[in-house]
Each structure stands twice: as C-alpha cells, then as structure tokens.
Amino acid sequence: MLPHKQPMTSQVLTYVLWLTPTVLQGMLAVVMWRRKLARDFPVFFWYTVMHVVRVCVNISVYRIFGYRSFEYFAVYWSAEAVDAAFQLALLYEVYSHVFRRYESISHLGGALFRWSLIALLLIAAASAAAGPSMGNDAVRGAVEMLHQGTIVVASGLLLLLFVFAASFGLGWGHYVFGLAAGLCICDSVELVVTVVRNQWGPIASETSSLVHTVAFNCSVLVWTWYFLRREGTPVVAIPAAGGELEKWNEALAELLNR
Amino acid sequence: MIEVYIAASLLAIAMMWRAARGQNVPVTGLDDLQGRTLEVDLAAFRNLIDPAQDEFLRRELAPREFRAVQRERRLAAIEYLRRAAHNATILLRLGEAARKGAEPAIMAAGEQLVGAALIMRLYSLLAIAELYVEVVLPDVSFSLAKAAEHYELLRASLSRLGYLQRPAAAHLYTGI
C-alpha cells in the first residue's frame, strides 16, 4: 500500500520503491511491444501494463480521497483481485511455454496445472479455515485470507513446476525462465509476508509491506534483465558428474568372495 | 503452519537458483559431451537387474547373505540409473540444440533424441523408486528390463544424430 503518516525520509523511500518498478515496467512493456514479445507472452505483457495503470490509479485515488478512505480500500483490493487472476493466468502461460517445447509430454503440462491447482485450492481453503479469527474487521480479514489463498496456490504451482522441470531435466528458455524467476522471488516472499501478517496482525504490517515491496522491485529487475537481453541458450540445471559405483562394486565383490 | 510456508518458499527459491546455475553449462554440440557424460556399462546393469541372476543367488546363498547381496546389487543398479538419468539430461540439451538447426534430417534426429531422453528420465525416476523399495524389501521384485531397453534406444538416437552431424566423431560419445 501507499505510504501514510511516515517520517519524510521513509516516505521518500517508499515512493522510490513504488515508482522504480512502475517506470521499469513501463519500459518493459514498450520493449516487449517493439520486439513482438507481446505476441508470445500476451498475459505477461498485459500484466505489466496492468501494473503500471494500477499504480497510477492508486496514487490518484490516494491523493484525492486519502489512505483511510473506503474508495482507496476498494480500489486497492479490486486491483489485488485482478492481480490474483493475472497471476494464475501468468502461471498457466509459464506452464504452456515450458511444456510446449516437448511434444512427447506436452499433454502433461495442462493436466499437471489443473490437478495441482485443485489440490492447492483445497490446501489454501483448509489453511484459511484454520487461520486466526478475523475479529471486528471481518471484511478486511476475509480479503486478506483470500489473498493468502491466492499466494499459496501461485507459490505451490511455481514450486511444482520447478520440481517437475528439475526431475525431467526440462529446459526453460531464456524469457520463460526470467518470467518464472521473477514470479518465484515475488511469490515466495509474499507467501511468507502474508502468512506472518495474517498471524501477527498490525504489528508486522508495516515491515511486511516494505519487505513485499522490495521483493517486487527485485522481481521487476529480474524481468527487465531477462526481457531486455536477447534469447540465448536454454536454461537447465545439470548435476555434476560423479558417482559411487566403484564403491558398490567393491562392496559387492567383497560379499561374493566371503 | 508458518514453518511449512517458509520451508516451501525457501525450497522454491533454491530450485530457482539451481535452474539458474544451469545457464553456465550449455550443450550445443557433440564436442560439449566430453567430460559431462558418465560411463554406463549396460551389460553390467542388465546383469544386476536380471531375474535369472536373482533366482540363482537366492538358490546358492543363505537367506541372510542373499538379502545383503541383493541390497548391494540394487544400490549398484540405482547408481547406474542415476548415471543414465544424468546422461539423458545432457542428451536432452543436445537434442534441443539439434532440432533448432536448418537441416530437416538433423532436426528430426534431434526431436527423436529429445523424446528418447525424456522417456529415459521418466523410466529412471520410476526404476530408482522401485529399486529403493527392493532395497528395503529384498523379497519384492519389479521388472526393470524396460529401463535398459530405453537406454539402448537413447544411445541409438544419439548415434543417429551423431552420424548425421559428424560421422567421424563417434569417439565423442561411445562411452555413454
């Protein structure tokens, strides 16, 4: 959220952390459009544009109605809902790009996404039900729980994809990896931050908001870095060569010779 | 519950870091195979998973000794499969690079290598899981012949691609 009633230096820092990614995302959208990458990554392109528009709208509403107004609350959380929908669509885009490269397992991508989504939705619902009581501010509590559920689903889907790709030795491709890495940084930090905030309430609110904003800045930097550079070789983790076969052979020979 | 979420977040970051490190080891041609692949003795692997050998050892050894020998045989087979899976990852990259080429025959051979490598990865994962079950329960037995067959198929796909790309460079991949 935007800064409110903070010392001057802290307010400046918060504005910098808000405006830097917005400027970078504006640049990113232009670069994607010019390099025709918007056609390959339509969801990511519109997600980027949406973020720029969102910050402009949020700042305007904040300046007109103030931080504690209902208008700001409504605009902020409506944008969060749109953001959540975009996140899921973005993850589907990442899954499609990773699996599209491999004809023999391309059908697995959709199935993995669907089933993981269902399982994670159940986990998120169970986790929200087991969470702390919402107290007097029921609307805000419900919104935050919904937000936590989205982040649980998004982080889970990303983690599963990373594990699956590592198990099969799948390559990512330059842009897809950049996109997934940026999402991973942002979602992983946001998952911890949201859970901590929901658990400890307002005490952790200020710090968690700052940590989340810093993480989002890092994600935007990663996206900018990958999308400004041209595509190179595919990305994959190749384990170091080596093994213990000789040791097993010796042990086996020793047993047989006894 | 917070601990679970923190652990999941850290794991996601670690997996991302692992994938990012892979950028430093691109495989674009046959020359890149040297020093990156591991030797797999397919005949020895076949012997280790041969049901007839299992039966022979069961007959010849005391039950306690048989269980100990079987355990060692299964662990050795797991190591062979790990090597095969490692090679499959490298060959997957090689296949991907080949299918980006301009010559249709090489592109088709690259696609075939990618398919064979993916299947090998899948079979290695399954076979390693089955072998671990056999390590814990030596009397349980799974048929693992398919893993050896798929590795042979992977080798054949590599030879085909190697022949099409550089017929004189067979020495670069004979040990795989």
Side-chain angles (χ1 to χ4, degrees):
Chain A
M1 287 216 184
L2 283 167
H4 63 105
K5 286 183 185 170
Q6 290 173 323
M8 198 59 187
T9 48
S10 171
Q11 204 169 35
V12 169
L13 174 73
T14 316
Y15 268 115
V16 168
L17 287 173
W18 261 75
L19 293 176
T20 309
T22 310
V23 172
L24 286 175
Q25 283 187 304
M27 240 169 67
L28 191 59
V30 173
V31 169
M32 284 184 76
W33 184 263
R34 289 182 65 176
R35 287 194 190 163
K36 296 187 171 44
L37 288 168
R39 276 194 313 204
D40 294 333
F41 300 93
V43 181
F44 182 58
F45 174 73
W46 287 111
Y47 173 79
T48 306
V49 172
M50 186 273 288
H51 257 270
V52 176
V53 173
R54 180 188 170 172
V55 171
C56 298
V57 171
N58 273 4
I59 289 177
S60 309
V61 174
Y62 167 76
R63 292 194 76 86
I64 297 167
F65 297 99
Y67 176 76
R68 302 238 173 252
S69 66
F70 171 76
E71 285 81 0
Y72 182 71
F73 177 85
V75 165
Y76 181 86
W77 287 106
S78 307
E80 279 291 303
V82 175
D83 192 284
F86 258 111
Q87 284 249 351
L88 291 181
L90 202 50
L91 282 164
Y92 188 74
E93 190 165 83
V94 172
Y95 267 70
S96 314
H97 274 277
V98 171
F99 283 91
R100 179 184 302 171
R101 297 160 63 96
Y102 305 101
E103 206 182 313
S104 49
I105 57 163
S106 58
H107 61 285
L108 268 180
L112 182 71
F113 185 85
R114 271 192 303 277
W115 288 107
S116 309
L117 185 62
I118 292 169
L120 287 162
L121 279 173
L122 290 174
I123 293 172
S127 150
S133 144
M134 289 165 192
N136 295 330
D137 203 350
V139 177
R140 192 187 180 88
V143 166
E144 297 243 346
M145 277 301 165
L146 210 63
H147 180 65
Q148 180 183 315
T150 313
I151 295 301
V152 168
V153 171
S155 309
L157 283 170
L158 259 176
L159 177 60
L160 273 170
L161 184 61
F162 273 114
V163 170
F164 191 88
S167 306
F168 277 79
L170 304 183
W172 288 79
H174 176 76
Y175 298 122
V176 185
F177 180 74
L179 179 45
L183 275 175
C184 182
I185 293 168
C186 189
D187 285 348
S188 303
V189 174
E190 195 172 0
L191 176 64
V192 175
V193 158
T194 310
V195 173
V196 167
R197 194 172 51 206
N198 287 353
Q199 197 78 25
W200 290 325
I203 307 163
S205 190
E206 293 286 322
T207 319
S208 60
S209 179
L210 182 68
V211 171
H212 175 228
T213 313
V214 171
F216 185 69
N217 272 262
C218 293
S219 296
V220 173
L221 280 174
V222 169
W223 290 328
T224 311
W225 167 259
Y226 274 91
F227 278 82
L228 290 188
R229 288 175 74 206
R230 299 275 176 184
E231 187 159 22
T233 42
V235 176
V236 72
I238 296 174
E244 297 193 313
L245 198 62
E246 287 71 26
K247 212 169 81 187
W248 300 127
N249 279 340
E250 278 170 28
L252 183 62
E254 199 179 294
L255 263 165
L256 288 169
N257 289 335
R258 267 201 325 211
Chain B
M1 201 64 181
I2 290 182
E3 293 85 354
V4 176
Y5 288 130
I6 293 175
S9 299
L10 289 175
L11 183 61
I13 299 273
M15 295 298 292
M16 183 200 79
W17 184 251
R18 186 174 181 263
R21 275 179 54 216
Q23 280 185 100
N24 302 324
V25 280
V27 179
T28 50
L30 291 168
D31 291 319
D32 295 327
L33 295 181
Q34 279 196 316
R36 291 215 176 118
T37 53
L38 298 165
E39 203 176 323
V40 175
D41 185 342
L42 206 53
F45 175 69
R46 280 215 162 97
N47 182 285
L48 286 168
I49 57 163
D50 185 1
Q53 287 288 329
D54 292 348
E55 206 42 54
F56 171 76
L57 289 169
R58 193 192 296 273
R59 262 198 330 267
E60 297 297 315
L61 300 171
R64 199 173 160 193
E65 258 187 331
F66 170 71
R67 277 196 291 275
V69 168
Q70 273 302 81
R71 188 173 174 276
E72 295 304 326
R73 278 164 55 83
R74 293 310 178 229
L75 289 174
I78 288 170
E79 181 56 28
Y80 274 121
L81 281 168
R82 286 222 171 99
R83 288 177 172 221
H86 169 92
N87 289 349
T89 307
I90 311 279
L91 297 182
L92 182 62
R93 296 279 81 74
L94 182 70
E96 282 183 335
R99 70 183 184 181
K100 280 184 190 162
E103 210 177 309
I106 290 179
M107 284 164 73
E111 189 63 56
Q112 194 186 17
L113 185 61
V114 166
L118 279 174
I119 291 171
M120 188 61 224
R121 289 284 308 188
L122 176 67
Y123 267 94
S124 330
L125 287 176
L126 290 175
I128 287 173
E130 287 175 349
L131 282 166
Y132 271 120
V133 172
E134 290 186 14
V135 168
V136 180
L137 307 164
D139 292 325
V140 175
S141 180
F142 294 99
S143 172
L144 299 163
K146 282 265 180 201
E149 278 173 32
H150 284 294
Y151 196 70
E152 217 159 52
L153 205 72
L154 180 65
R155 274 181 172 174
S157 303
L158 173 63
S159 299
R160 185 177 148 72
L161 177 66
Y163 179 76
L164 288 169
Q165 278 188 329
R166 276 165 64 188
H171 64 281
L172 293 173
Y173 51 84
T174 41
I176 292 173

